[in-house]
Amino acid sequence: MNTVAISGTLRSELGKKGAKAERNEGKIPCVMYGGESNVHFTVTHNDIKSIVYTADFNVAEITVDGKAYKAILKGFDMHPVTDNITHIDFIELIDGNYVKVDIPVRFKGESPGVKLGGKLMQSIRRVTVKTLPENLVDELFVDISELELGMAVRVRDIEAPDNMQVMNAGATPVAIVEVPRALRSAAAAAEKAG
């Protein structure tokens, strides 16, 4: 499991006025839900770059005034003009409490359809799963070694551990091997000739 260390400072003043003052100092207001009580703190932009600007799934080890928490990134807000992060939400991971997270889907194997000239088109990059924090994984895999031209792998084909429930609909396509136009026109020409 990939973990990212983040150090935060407890916020003294809450609300819009306090958040604006923190942002003016170059800090990002954050809140962590899910524990005994919500934790309001600030971080610097450099602290959170490796958890916000990545396609990977990471667990944050957040230290706020000497107390350590394990959490996952729930969401963040950005300024509409400058694209600066204005607020971040985290969910605290507590052993024994189920959590819903989005985990990246990766492919394993080589598709025979791609070898014949097809193009692998991925329609889902992440799936939502429900599991206990101790069962979290960095990524899930789907085998594409049986994918011929025009075939698809679906959410139900994702190799998820038994202790993890995939929340997306099972029939939803994850990826399809598209038949390129050149192969379609060659097949149509062969049908006309035959």
Side-chain angles (χ1 to χ4, degrees), residues 136-147:
L136 284 173
V137 293
D138 295 340
E139 55 195 2
L140 294 172
F141 290 94
V142 63
D143 189 5
I144 60 169
S145 57
E146 303 289 319
L147 270 186

Side-chain angles (χ1 to χ4, degrees), residues 77-188:
D77 298 328
M78 296 181 101
H79 190 279
V81 177
T82 63
D83 281 345
N84 290 335
I85 297 173
T86 57
H87 182 82
I88 302 177
D89 288 334
F90 290 96
I91 294 181
E92 186 177 353
L93 298 176
I94 299 169
D95 288 344
N97 288 2
Y98 281 92
V99 65
K100 284 184 186 176
V101 295
D102 293 337
I103 296 185
V105 177
R106 310 274 191 242
F107 300 122
K108 70 178 193 181
E110 289 186 36
S111 165
V114 171
K115 287 181 183 176
L116 291 173
K119 186 172 182 184
L120 185 67
M121 302 296 289
Q122 186 173 2
S123 52
I124 292 181
R125 301 206 180 280
R126 292 175 169 260
V127 289
T128 304
V129 299
K130 181 179 178 183
T131 189
L132 294 169
E134 52 268 23
N135 300 329
L136 284 173
V137 293
D138 295 340
E139 55 195 2
L140 294 172
F141 290 94
V142 63
D143 189 5
I144 60 169
S145 57
E146 303 289 319
L147 270 186
E148 298 290 343
L149 287 169
M151 292 176 63
V153 286
R154 304 190 181 279
V155 168
R156 64 175 159 258
D157 300 323
I158 293 173
E159 298 167 5
D162 293 336
N163 50 22
M164 185 177 287
Q165 179 185 356
V166 178
M167 306 300 287
N168 300 56
T172 308
V174 175
I176 187 168
V177 177
E178 285 191 350
V179 182
R181 189 178 305 148
L183 287 176
R184 281 197 301 259
S185 55

